[in-house]
Amino acid sequence: MTGLRFVAAFLVFGFHVHTERLVADGPARTAMEWVFSPGAAGVSFFFVLSGFVLTWSARPGDTARRFWRRRAARIYPDHLATWLVAVALAVAGGSGVALAVWLPNLLLVQAWSPDLDVFFGLNTVSWSLACEVFFYALFPVLYLLLPRLPGRALWPATAAALSLVWLVPVAAHALPLADRYWFIWVFPVSRLPEFAAGMLLARIVQEGRWPRRFGLAPATALAIAAYLGSRWLPDDFRIVAATVIPLALLVAAVAAADVAGTPSPWRSSRWVRLGELSYAFYLVHQLVLRLVVHVAGTGHPAAAGLGIALVSLALALAGSWLLHEGVENPAIRLLLRRRTPPATAGSAPKPRT
């Protein structure tokens, strides 16, 4: 699963390359639209994966305080570093940053505001971290409730959680049109069912309730079909609901393959290393694109635009390596000096979240 994390992060990168319009209108841009316009679905993958991995690697006898400390050490240092860079870029650009924007972003509560300038302020992608913070706050309680669910109820509960994702766009129609996108895409409560589905699927795999016939190949094919086919759905359903079920099944299928030792391309050392960089890459890539667009502009011919996109990718990878090695790993070592007992909930490799 660690290797597949980078694929999800790369799709988000491709989505932002597409929305920045580096390539002028024409066949190349049309091809990019087909491949990358649904790329934001990578965020759904991360939300489901987060619930799955945290449940899988839960430590017997752990406390909520220790759990929250590990989560803070894992996500906040990189966020703080990229937040500082985003503030510096805003100040250097002469726009400045209002208190109502920078403070919620610093504290990772910006996703609770329906104001576009707040939830997408500074380092735009950090809105998803605000959702993760909400999930982490609830996880100790949700994890205590999970064992009380009978094994036979796990699949119906998973179906119910994923069905709630489809109900969110329906509920959004009760809101003003200007708030619907925020409610569907950004609002932490609306994204909680994806995290909960990941938790339920972790227990399904742990208890051997995953259907063996639904392996890595069919799960991947279904996810690709939903990803490419989502463009034909209405906007409110396309941005989350269209892909959430196949992506959730893909997470579980990859984990089941890891448990069974089934051959998988995502376990190669190269993909695992990229997966380890994926969190830093996710936080860095749009800041890099912002700088590249400022310098190079947009609307380039196909060859030039794609070349600029590749340069952006290389710079984002370099930046993510610097962030991972210079901030993330040292901060984790510093903040988690006391060693805690290893997880014993399962035998699959433990992806970092």
Side-chain angles (χ1 to χ4, degrees), residues 10-28:
F10 177 75
L11 290 176
V12 177
F13 168 81
F15 170 76
H16 287 134
V17 168
H18 169 66
T19 57
E20 291 287 357
R21 304 187 70 87
L22 287 177
V23 178
D25 291 341

Side-chain angles (χ1 to χ4, degrees), residues 24 32 98 109 151 178 182 213 215 233 243 319 331 333:
M32 288 183 67
V109 294
W182 163 78
R213 292 184 179 181
L233 289 177
T243 54
R333 288 193 295 266

Side-chain angles (χ1 to χ4, degrees), residues 76-246:
Y76 199 79
D78 280 9
H79 163 64
L80 178 59
T82 50
W83 179 88
L84 289 169
V85 172
V87 170
L89 290 175
V91 172
S95 60
V97 186
L99 175 66
V101 174
W102 71 254
L103 185 59
N105 277 265
L106 176 64
L107 300 178
L108 290 177
V109 294
Q110 71 269 40
W112 295 93
S113 169
D115 186 340
L116 179 71
D117 291 334
V118 175
F119 66 74
F120 276 173
L122 294 175
N123 190 14
T124 306
V125 298
S126 66
W127 71 266
S128 64
L129 300 188
C131 292
E132 291 281 4
V133 167
F134 174 61
F135 304 158
Y136 298 159
L138 295 181
F139 179 78
V141 174
L142 295 176
Y143 185 73
L144 287 176
L145 295 175
L146 190 61
R148 300 183 182 182
L149 197 65
R152 64 180 180 277
L154 289 173
W155 275 110
T158 303
L162 295 173
S163 297
L164 285 175
V165 179
W166 279 83
L167 290 177
V168 167
V170 178
H173 281 268
L175 299 174
L177 183 61
D179 292 338
R180 290 178 190 175
Y181 173 79
W182 163 78
F183 182 79
I184 296 168
W185 181 247
V186 179
F187 187 40
V189 175
S190 298
R191 306 308 298 262
L192 181 61
E194 295 156 80
F195 181 81
M199 294 183 65
L200 291 162
L201 285 166
R203 190 176 156 197
I204 286 172
V205 176
Q206 283 176 334
E207 295 187 4
R209 296 176 181 273
W210 182 257
R212 294 182 180 179
R213 292 184 179 181
F214 195 77
L216 191 56
T220 302
L222 182 62
I224 292 173
Y227 177 87
L228 295 175
S230 63
R231 61 186 289 118
W232 285 293
L233 289 177
D235 288 348
D236 289 351
F237 291 89
R238 182 179 69 240
I239 57 177
V240 180
T243 54
V244 66
I245 294 174

Side-chain angles (χ1 to χ4, degrees), residues 57-63 66 143 341-345:
S57 59
R59 306 161 188 252
D62 198 9
T63 65
R66 288 199 295 264
Y143 185 73
T344 59

